Amino acid sequence: MANKACARDHRSWGRYPKIRQQKVVPVYWRDDQIDLSAIDGTILPYGLGRSYGDSCQNEGGTLIDIAPLNRMIAFDEDAGLLRCEAGVSLADILKVIVPRGWFLPTTPGTKFVTIGGAIANDVHGKNHHVAGTFGRHVTQFELLRSNGERLICSPEQNAEMYRATIGGLGLTGLILWAEFKLRRVPGPFIASEQIRFRNVDEFFDISAESEHRFEYTVAWVDCLAAGKQLGRGLFMRGNHAWPNKVPGKKAGQRSLFTVPVDLPWFALNMVTARVFNTALYHSQLGKSKRKVVPYDSFFYPLDMIHEWNRLYGSPGFIQYQFVIPFDHDRSAIKSIFKQISDSGVLSLLSVLKVFGDVPSPGMLSFPRPGVTLALDFPVRGQHTLDLLDRLDRVVQDEGGAIYPAKDSRMSAQGFQSFYPQWQDFSQYVDPKFSSSFWRRVTRTTE
């Protein structure tokens, strides 16, 4: 078991930057006397490696592999309270709860993340405007500090450590188990509607109209479109549906396949990207399309392709996600779309959504009221990095923030501007815990 755990690929999902000089120590039993202080150097918990940048990396230090902590502990089916170890994945939880009429309170775009990772990054989903972040639904967890102290953290008990750990990037200690609230659903299907929109203005109009009628909203955007079609795309919205069965459709897992090798870096270029985006935009003939779909295909379309990060080739890719305040002024997001379109920098997947005003409990939580855009950029050298530096400045000027779970290159000055509460948070960081991200963004900037 130890060899199997250590044989896993412990890189980040974006595989950029390249960090390999680190030891891996798996943890198997939550009740063991785990002596973190005996490990040389700094340590950092590591789950399933779906953080895109270096917040899950610890160059020169040790990763604590929590994947073997994968046992369910208790499930109160009447109250919808689930307690499980930190290494249990959302995929494993869904297998248990969906047949019983329950669902995750919120979920990111992949189910291959652990509960420990979901808390450490305070993940959000398509229902942020009504449900907020994952951390908002966490009732308690147990945290192991490097001095051997075990803390039960909840909104009432060790409340400040609870707030620091939610969205705390795994730096406050090792989460051993967690308990959180589920939500009732009428069945395993989603009644969905997909609407084609012609530009950014139309996106915001549809989003505002959908906000009170649909629990889940999100949009794909063609970032290469320009002019009157700037920000065109497809808007997806949906609600949990009542049928337990839909003829011809399976509610369970979809068949998966794996990208076997890294694609050559030149396979993705502006020509192939434009063809892909144009084909996707025009794949829907009418203005809107309604259908009932399994939850799996609605929430996790990319999960059907295992190792899809290999599509970006050996250099890897950067996922860049920001949020900026949105007060019916659409000029900032239009400016960003125009900069991307004019830059000649290749961007493939682009996801646009409006966050609601449900507050996050975490000190360093990323979501806040505003509009958020996530983009995938293949690493193509300095030209890509220069564009992202320019976008950073726009985000900073607008009072927004970059998502640490997806970051791999923002400056220390940028981070400290986006998260002015970082110094308050620092007092809760375990002295033995660190990450490549944390060391980079907390450098002295004067």
Side-chain angles (χ1 to χ4, degrees):
M1 188 69 177
N3 291 336
K4 183 178 179 181
C6 292
R8 292 205 299 134
D9 184 348
H10 290 86
R11 290 181 289 182
S12 68
W13 189 245
R15 303 195 295 177
Y16 175 84
K18 308 294 186 189
I19 295 174
R20 298 179 183 278
Q21 299 81 15
Q22 48 197 352
K23 303 172 188 174
V24 178
V25 175
V27 175
Y28 297 99
W29 305 102
R30 66 180 185 274
D31 295 326
D32 278 357
Q33 294 298 318
I34 305 169
D35 187 2
L36 299 177
S37 67
I39 300 173
D40 291 335
T42 60
I43 56 179
L44 180 72
Y46 183 97
L48 294 178
R50 289 302 179 117
S51 293
Y52 287 78
D54 55 358
S55 66
C56 65
Q57 299 290 284
N58 187 20
E59 186 168 15
T62 297
L63 297 178
I64 306 296
D65 190 333
I66 66 166
L69 288 177
N70 57 5
R71 290 163 283 264
M72 305 284 185
I73 301 173
F75 183 25
D76 183 338
E77 287 200 53
D78 294 327
L81 271 178
L82 178 67
R83 183 182 298 187
C84 65
E85 293 181 338
V88 175
S89 71
L90 301 188
D92 289 335
I93 292 171
L94 289 166
K95 291 176 188 174
V96 172
I97 65 174
V98 172
R100 292 170 168 80
W102 292 96
F103 200 73
L104 297 166
T106 187
T107 174
T110 174
K111 58 182 180 288
F112 299 125
V113 300
T114 64
I115 286 302
I119 294 173
N121 295 289
D122 200 14
V123 297
H124 60 272
K126 299 177 177 67
N127 61 344
H128 182 273
H129 58 290
V130 294
T133 63
F134 189 85
R136 186 168 173 268
H137 306 274
V138 174
T139 52
Q140 59 176 329
F141 54 81
E142 183 178 10
L143 190 71
L144 174 64
R145 302 275 285 181
S146 64
N147 61 3
E149 188 178 25
R150 290 173 179 251
L151 301 175
I152 301 298
C153 301
S154 73
E156 297 79 29
Q157 189 174 358
N158 295 308
E160 289 304 297
M161 190 61 81
Y162 171 87
R163 292 184 58 240
T165 301
I166 292 176
L169 304 170
L171 295 166
T172 61
L174 183 65
I175 299 173
L176 296 172
W177 58 262
E179 180 186 84
F180 54 97
K181 296 176 184 174
L182 304 172
R183 58 145 300 168
R184 275 285 189 193
V185 292
F189 292 95
I190 299 291
S192 70
E193 183 175 16
Q194 182 168 289
I195 305 171
R196 191 167 65 183
F197 56 92
R198 292 169 295 185
N199 50 47
V200 180
D201 284 326
E202 202 166 310
F203 161 81
F204 281 111
D205 293 342
I206 296 171
S207 180
E209 184 267 328
S210 305
E211 184 176 341
H212 300 293
R213 296 197 297 125
F214 291 89
E215 181 171 357
Y216 302 104
T217 63
V218 73
W220 165 81
V221 176
D222 177 2
C223 269
L224 301 180
K228 294 182 179 179
Q229 295 183 322
L230 186 73
R232 72 177 182 180
L234 301 170
F235 193 98
M236 281 76 76
R237 58 191 189 183
N239 291 314
H240 289 280
W242 61 267
N244 286 318
K245 292 184 179 179
V246 175
K249 293 181 180 177
K250 295 181 179 179
Q253 303 289 320
R254 304 172 71 190
S255 60
L256 305 177
F257 65 91
T258 300
V259 178
V261 296
D262 293 343
L263 254 62
W265 67 270
F266 54 80
L268 294 179
N269 52 56
M270 293 300 285
V271 173
T272 56
R274 288 190 190 282
V275 170
F276 172 80
N277 283 7
T278 301
L280 183 57
Y281 181 73
H282 290 288
S283 63
Q284 179 173 308
L285 298 179
K287 175 70 176 175
S288 68
K289 180 173 64 178
R290 294 180 179 177
K291 56 184 178 180
V292 176
V293 298
Y295 76 85
D296 215 44
S297 60
F298 183 81
F299 290 105
Y300 314 112
L302 280 176
D303 281 349
M304 68 179 295
I305 309 173
H306 277 174
E307 308 290 349
W308 62 262
N309 53 349
R310 290 178 173 173
L311 295 171
Y312 291 91
S314 178
F317 71 104
I318 296 170
Q319 184 161 100
Y320 182 83
Q321 183 169 359
F322 66 82
V323 58
I324 55 174
F326 170 64
D327 188 20
H328 304 290
D329 179 1
R330 304 168 181 180
S331 59
I333 192 70
K334 287 180 181 178
S335 169
I336 289 174
F337 274 126
K338 190 169 189 312
Q339 286 200 48
I340 297 169
S341 177
D342 293 346
S343 69
V345 174
L346 178 60
S347 174
L348 288 178
L349 294 177
S350 306
V351 178
L352 185 64
K353 175 172 171 57
V354 173
F355 281 154
D357 57 5
V358 182
S360 301
M363 289 182 188
L364 283 190
S365 292
F366 162 72
R368 62 204 68 185
V371 57
T372 183
L373 177 65
L375 309 116
D376 283 357
F377 292 100
V379 175
R380 294 289 191 268
Q382 194 59 44
H383 193 39
T384 305
L385 300 176
D386 288 345
L387 170 65
L388 298 183
D389 286 343
R390 294 197 297 275
L391 297 184
D392 279 359
R393 289 193 285 274
V394 176
V395 173
Q396 187 171 340
D397 290 345
E398 293 294 326
I402 309 295
Y403 195 2
K406 298 184 176 182
D407 180 66
S408 53
R409 32 66 52 196
M410 82 166 107
S411 68
Q413 186 276 334
F415 172 77
Q416 293 167 27
S417 171
F418 300 140
Y419 297 89
Q421 68 276 37
W422 74 274
Q423 288 183 311
D424 291 337
F425 166 79
S426 296
Q427 65 182 301
Y428 299 98
V429 173
D430 188 293
K432 195 164 179 60
F433 281 56
S434 186
S435 68
S436 296
F437 169 87
W438 188 244
R439 291 189 290 274
R440 174 166 56 83
V441 301
T442 55
R443 288 194 296 251
T444 301
T445 59
E446 296 178 350

